[in-house]
Amino acid sequence: MDLFSCFTLVTWQQVVMYLIGGGLIFIAIKKEYEPALLLPMGFGAILVNLPLSGVINQTVEGVGEVNGIIEWLFHLGIETSEALPIILFIGIGAMIDFGPLLSNPIMMLFGAAAQFGIFAAVILALILGFDLKDAASIGVIGAADGPTSILVSQFFHSNYIGAIAVAAYSYMALVPIVQPIAIKMVTTRKERYISMDYNPKTVSKKARILFPIIVTLVVGFVAPSSVALVGFLMFGNLIRECKVLRILSETAQNVLTNLITLMLGLIISFSLRAEEFVNMKTLLIMAIGLFSFFFDTIGGVLFAKFINLFCRKKINPMVGAAGISAFPMSARVVQKLANEEQQGNIILMHAVGANVSGQIASVVAGGLIMTIVARLL
């Protein structure tokens, strides 16, 4: 379904709800009137009324036709364990400062480019004999985004949820080891030596507040299958940036994130039975995940090198490697490598901008995988 068709599904009542949602958000932040209640209500009013266009099934058995993302998730019968990764994104969003990205928007391109390995890994998994739903779940390991990997594998009821979760979080921890190898494979020392000027632009509070709302709306129309993930991520960020819910923001960043991570780990552990986990398939999944992770890193670097063909002021191609979702580890690795090549070469903020864009791109890629594969099944 094309973008025009997606917009035609929006009714005037939904447009009114967008305005009401925006009004509630304005009152909560600007007037500081009951922000703990009105902010989530306003954002939810927008999120729940985004059209279902482009998502897997618009007709739910026993219910009939549904026309909203949240309604679709509800009637789909999403299980508690499947909801946990989505809720976790509230905490992740509350941790992220999108300021470096907003002051240098071109970094968004590197987040998109660094998702190449996901699709390459899906193809490799199919070649190695995995069925389509398992191949799709395995490929998302390359996003270096544990919650997205878990959610996609649960969505497809993959037979390898435990192995996928272990691989996803293992490679996130191995960023300082894996990424330098991949970067040095496709860059020269001269390229890694490139310095970049950083002239931070002042990002207004209004821009910081509008950014999560606009991203949610854009993703809702362009890639609607990703909106549950992106929407919760952006809602967490809105809690952070509104500055009127400080305690709730701190709770989301710490208590909520730690609690959900703990519960998610316990639930996933139930799928780590020895007879199911200790086999050749698990080794293949780990290998494919590593392949995907490598190619995500290489894809971001090669894209930066391609951009340099047209730029007068060159970009250090290592910044492209930070486009994966492993935040902030990947940005730190890139800065460390730059400093090793030239003492005092600071490219951290550029890398951070690419890194936070990778967080958005990874969940969008996960949603696209869910849409494409579900249509083929």
Side-chain angles (χ1 to χ4, degrees), residues 97-121:
D97 178 7
F98 285 111
L101 176 61
L102 291 172
S103 65
N104 195 9
I106 193 174
M107 291 297 128
M108 181 66 77
L109 298 175
F110 298 113
Q115 310 307 316
F116 169 75
I118 296 175
F119 300 93

Side-chain angles (χ1 to χ4, degrees), residues 16-266:
V16 171
M17 290 309 301
Y18 299 156
L19 296 175
I20 291 174
L24 292 175
I25 292 172
F26 175 80
I27 294 172
I29 296 174
K30 185 69 175 178
K31 303 298 183 181
E32 298 188 23
Y33 182 74
E34 297 291 343
L37 177 64
L38 295 188
L39 185 65
M41 284 179 61
F43 192 85
I46 296 172
L47 186 62
V48 78
N49 285 291
L50 288 171
L52 187 60
S53 166
V55 186
I56 299 84
N57 294 316
Q58 294 190 35
T59 303
V60 178
E61 185 177 353
V63 177
E65 191 159 329
V66 296
N67 188 37
I69 298 297
I70 304 302
E71 185 181 353
W72 172 69
L73 287 173
F74 177 79
H75 288 302
L76 195 63
I78 192 165
E79 298 176 3
T80 303
S81 61
E82 294 171 341
L84 289 178
I86 299 177
I87 297 173
L88 182 58
F89 273 105
I90 296 177
I92 295 173
M95 295 178 185
I96 297 176
D97 178 7
F98 285 111
L101 176 61
L102 291 172
S103 65
N104 195 9
I106 193 174
M107 291 297 128
M108 181 66 77
L109 298 175
F110 298 113
Q115 310 307 316
F116 169 75
I118 296 175
F119 300 93
V122 172
I123 295 172
L124 178 60
L126 289 171
I127 293 172
L128 292 176
F130 290 93
D131 64 28
L132 185 56
K133 64 182 180 65
D134 288 328
S137 303
I138 293 166
V140 180
I141 294 172
D145 186 344
T148 301
S149 299
I150 293 170
L151 180 66
V152 173
S153 61
Q154 288 178 327
F155 177 84
F156 287 121
H157 302 288
S158 172
N159 298 312
Y160 308 103
I161 294 176
I164 289 169
V166 169
Y169 279 100
S170 295
Y171 292 134
M172 286 175 65
L174 291 176
V175 165
I177 298 173
V178 175
Q179 279 212 298
I181 297 172
I183 290 170
K184 290 180 180 180
M185 284 174 57
V186 291
T187 59
T188 64
R189 184 173 184 181
K190 182 179 179 180
E191 288 173 328
R192 297 193 296 273
Y193 191 87
I194 294 173
S195 60
M196 300 173 66
D197 296 330
Y198 182 64
N199 300 310
K201 299 175 183 176
T202 301
V203 180
S204 67
K205 180 181 178 181
K206 182 182 295 185
R208 289 175 177 271
I209 290 173
L210 288 176
F211 179 73
I213 299 171
I214 292 171
V215 169
T216 302
L217 285 168
V218 170
V219 172
F221 285 105
V222 176
S225 54
S226 306
V227 76
L229 299 171
V230 175
F232 278 67
L233 179 74
M234 292 296 111
F235 177 61
N237 188 250
L238 183 59
I239 291 175
R240 171 196 177 99
E241 298 297 349
C242 71
K243 305 301 184 185
V244 295
L245 291 172
R246 181 181 57 81
I247 295 176
L248 191 57
S249 175
E250 292 174 356
T251 300
Q253 294 178 49
N254 299 291
V255 178
L256 177 66
T257 300
N258 292 331
L259 181 60
I260 296 297
T261 301
L262 176 64
M263 294 175 63
L264 195 57
L266 290 173

